[in-house]
Amino acid sequence: RQGISSAFSGNVASLAADVDQSGSVNGTDLQLIQDYLLGKITEFPIAEKIVDTAAMEKLFAGITPTASYKVEGENNPLFTQRFGADPGVMEYNGRVYVYTTNDVIEYDSNGNVTENTYAQVNKINCISSDDMVNWTDHGAIPVAGTEGIAKWATCSWAPCAAHKTINGKEKFFLYFCNGGNGVSVLTADSPTGPWSDPLGKALITRETPNCGDITWLFDPAVMVDDDGTGYFCFGGGVPDGKDAMPGTSRVVKLGEDMISLAGTPVTIEAPYLFEDSGINKIGDTYYYTYCSNWNTSGNSYGMTSGAIEYMTASNPLGPYTYGGELFPNQGKFFGLYGNNHHSICAVNGQLYLFYHNRGVEKAMGIEGNYRSPQVDQITMTGTKINMVTGTMKGIAQQKSVNPYVKNPAEMMSDQAGINVRGLGDTVVTEIDKGDWIKVSGVDFSKGASQIVLTASSKSGCAVKICTGSPTGKAVGYAEIPAGGKLSEVSAAVQGLTGNQDLYFVFSGQAEMDCWIAK
């Protein structure tokens, strides 16, 4: 009342009093505050803010959208706000969780990009999706180093993950390698954490029986069998003179707790092995998959170098028999060769191959083996895995997005200029002028009159909501007030019907947490 009758003490007080976010403080706000204090309402309704559409059109006409590292119409790579190599994949309740090595760009003393040494990798990215196109970024898990969960470790390479019901409770396990000298594990009660270090040391070291002579003690893979038993593969490297049969991969049964071994690791005689173990059960057959080394010339199997090969067995501990090649080096499809690393995952009865490629690096105009995750479909003929073709198109969207529930802003199929902060419950950040987020395949079959964003901006920001492309015709505009505090802002929208690709384009600095259509 004092603010309306005389003046507010400052902008913060005025913003706080504008409880319906109409843009002005008036009698409606006074009545709403009174009703709230009397318990008649439990939350403040958001007024439909009148937006100067002509001014907004003029504003965004002068803004060039930031360029994306993905090509329109292509679903690979899965995400572009950070790099993500060595995808380890887990399905849980119909949702796919992808954990990746968080490649960090390295520079020389002159500021030039140098070859990736992997020495700065101490985090693991986590993304997830239930439609294989829109991926939610759950942040980068701080695994190793002084700020990490496993402070005794220096690196966090090549993750893999599994879940299992133990004592009636679902538990999650994230395995990683601390460089080439050991394999470790984190645990959680959720696939997105928070994670803890249950052992305070590595799970497998060179002191583990039958592991002392493994060239590279890394690249874990895990499988939980139908009876709940866990099996674990790891290892790699080529001893001198042993290109044809390196003998450096192992498989072992895990303890009931998934963080101990229930036996001595068994050697897998995998021809021309290099690295990148995988283990899956498809039907009644167990598959061991791996990357071939770079000296396969003249082999009798017909395999190529740096390719994903598979072997089969009737027992997860082997013995395994060579089956064939399922995925050539990604350079065959995309032009940039490099190490090949994969995971096989079944989702709703369909098999998928997750791998990495250097497409984002290429789009950025740099070169140094910085990698990003991709996925393509696997088909089979009997027990034979057919050769997979790497594509930038990727997988078609498996289900539409429901706009009538709160959707996290960090769920997107493409973006330009943004990043994500936080862990587990994340927020889109580093938004600037021209940056944008795309959500593919949103089902507006019930229509919509408004879209409510939860967002913030230090100095104020406008948001153009459009379809088709970042330069598409606007269906509505939202204005985020200055202040820097996350709050709900409403945009009146028109013309949202059917299945649409939705874009949020920003005029300046902002952060965004979620959105919902009403």
Side-chain angles (χ1 to χ4, degrees):
R1 289 194 184 100
Q2 289 175 348
I4 291 174
S5 62
S6 54
F8 285 98
S9 58
N11 187 51
V12 172
S14 177
L15 286 171
D18 182 18
V19 293
D20 67 355
Q21 300 178 44
S22 65
S24 64
V25 182
N26 50 39
T28 301
D29 294 300
L30 291 178
Q31 185 62 54
L32 287 170
I33 292 170
Q34 178 176 297
D35 290 346
Y36 181 86
L37 293 172
L38 293 174
K40 294 181 180 180
I41 59 174
T42 58
E43 62 180 32
F44 297 115
I46 300 174
E48 183 175 313
K49 192 170 183 177
I50 298 174
V51 175
D52 187 338
T53 302
M56 287 292 177
E57 288 176 349
K58 182 178 180 180
L59 171 65
F60 281 94
I63 294 175
T64 301
T66 305
S68 170
Y69 295 135
K70 289 178 72 167
V71 175
E72 182 64 32
E74 296 181 348
N75 294 325
N76 279 329
L78 308 185
F79 74 112
T80 59
Q81 52 267 30
R82 294 186 302 283
F83 290 109
D86 313 322
V89 185
M90 175 184 72
E91 182 275 338
Y92 177 64
N93 286 348
R95 192 169 189 89
V96 183
Y97 292 84
V98 182
Y99 303 87
T100 69
T101 301
N102 185 21
D103 281 359
V104 177
I105 299 178
E106 298 180 36
Y107 301 89
D108 63 19
S109 58
N110 296 317
N112 300 312
V113 175
T114 60
E115 188 74 12
N116 190 355
T117 68
Y118 320 114
Q120 296 184 26
V121 176
N122 57 18
K123 295 182 176 66
I124 291 174
N125 296 312
C126 176
I127 62 172
S128 73
S129 178
D130 64 357
D131 65 21
M132 301 295 284
V133 169
N134 294 292
W135 293 89
T136 300
D137 186 345
H138 302 287
I141 305 163
V143 176
T146 56
E147 302 299 319
I149 299 161
K151 292 179 172 55
W152 52 269
T154 56
C155 297
S156 56
W157 298 353
C160 68
H163 62 90
K164 179 181 174 180
T165 304
I166 299 177
N167 297 325
K169 187 175 182 179
E170 202 71 10
K171 298 290 290 184
F172 298 85
F173 305 89
L174 180 61
Y175 303 88
F176 68 96
C177 41
N178 179 27
N181 288 294
V183 181
S184 311
V185 59
L186 304 179
T187 59
D189 294 329
S190 157
T192 60
W195 298 93
S196 62
D197 176 15
L199 301 178
K201 60 181 181 179
L203 170 64
I204 296 171
T205 69
R206 296 197 179 278
E207 283 67 51
T208 303
N210 196 29
C211 293
D213 61 346
I214 296 176
T215 307
W216 295 331
L217 192 52
F218 69 178
D219 284 8
V222 64
M223 177 198 72
V224 178
D225 209 346
D226 301 333
D227 64 358
T229 303
Y231 293 92
F232 200 63
C233 293
F234 56 93
V238 185
D240 290 343
K242 293 187 176 182
D243 294 332
M245 193 60 71
T248 54
S249 60
R250 303 287 187 269
V251 59
V252 66
K253 181 180 177 181
L254 289 171
E256 178 65 23
D257 58 7
M258 298 289 285
I259 59 172
S260 63
L261 305 186
T264 298
V266 178
T267 300
I268 300 175
E269 297 297 344
Y272 293 93
L273 170 85
F274 187 53
E275 58 183 6
D276 179 33
S277 288
I279 184 169
N280 295 85
K281 186 177 185 181
I282 304 173
D284 296 324
T285 303
Y286 296 93
Y287 289 77
Y288 173 71
T289 47
Y290 64 96
C291 179
S292 61
N293 63 49
W294 299 94
N295 296 302
T296 61
S297 179
N299 74 83
S300 60
Y301 301 96
M303 68 172 67
T304 60
S305 294
I308 306 302
E309 316 292 338
Y310 74 91
M311 305 180 77
T312 61
S314 58
N315 186 302
L317 296 176
Y320 284 88
T321 302
Y322 182 77
E325 188 165 293
L326 72 94
F327 187 62
N329 192 273
Q330 67 272 14
K332 176 180 178 180
F333 306 108
F334 311 115
L336 291 174
Y337 286 80
N339 69 319
N340 207 349
H341 202 111
H342 79 293
S343 286
I344 293 173
C345 185
V347 187
N348 298 322
Q350 175 60 56
L351 288 167
Y352 297 97
L353 177 72
F354 291 80
Y355 57 95
H356 62 220
N357 180 34
R358 297 165 62 187
V360 174
E361 175 190 70
K362 184 177 181 180
M364 292 176 69
I366 64 173
E367 187 170 338
N369 200 33
Y370 298 100
R371 303 149 301 171
S372 299
Q374 302 197 169
V375 62
D376 278 293
Q377 186 172 307
I378 291 175
T379 61
M380 299 191 67
T381 303
T383 59
K384 173 181 170 54
I385 303 178
N386 298 322
M387 190 78 77
V388 175
T389 299
T391 73
M392 297 307 294
K393 185 176 181 180
I395 305 301
Q397 190 167 341
Q398 301 298 294
K399 59 181 287 190
S400 297
V401 173
N402 177 7
Y404 309 111
V405 297
K406 277 192 175 181
N407 287 285
E410 59 273 18
M411 179 192 75
M412 63 194 86
S413 61
D414 196 6
Q415 61 81 26
I418 66 95
N419 206 338
V420 170
R421 67 169 173 85
L423 192 59
D425 183 14
T426 49
V427 174
V428 172
T429 190
E430 297 181 22
I431 298 170
D432 212 333
K433 182 178 178 180
D435 295 348
W436 51 270
I437 300 167
K438 175 186 178 183
V439 186
S440 288
V442 185
D443 181 10
F444 285 102
S445 57
K446 297 179 183 179
S449 61
Q450 63 175 327
I451 289 180
V452 180
L453 317 179
T454 300
S456 70
S457 177
K458 293 178 181 178
S459 56
C461 174
V463 185
K464 174 187 174 184
I465 303 171
C466 54
T467 59
S469 77
T471 57
K473 181 175 175 56
V475 297
Y477 296 94
E479 290 183 281
I480 306 171
K485 183 178 180 181
L486 286 170
S487 60
E488 290 187 346
V489 294
S490 178
V493 294
Q494 294 181 330
L496 278 176
T497 60
N499 200 274
Q500 302 280 356
D501 292 342
L502 195 64
Y503 291 79
F504 299 93
V505 187
F506 299 85
S507 70
Q509 182 279 326
E511 290 194 335
M512 182 171 163
D513 186 40
C514 59
W515 63 273
I516 185 173
K518 297 181 178 181

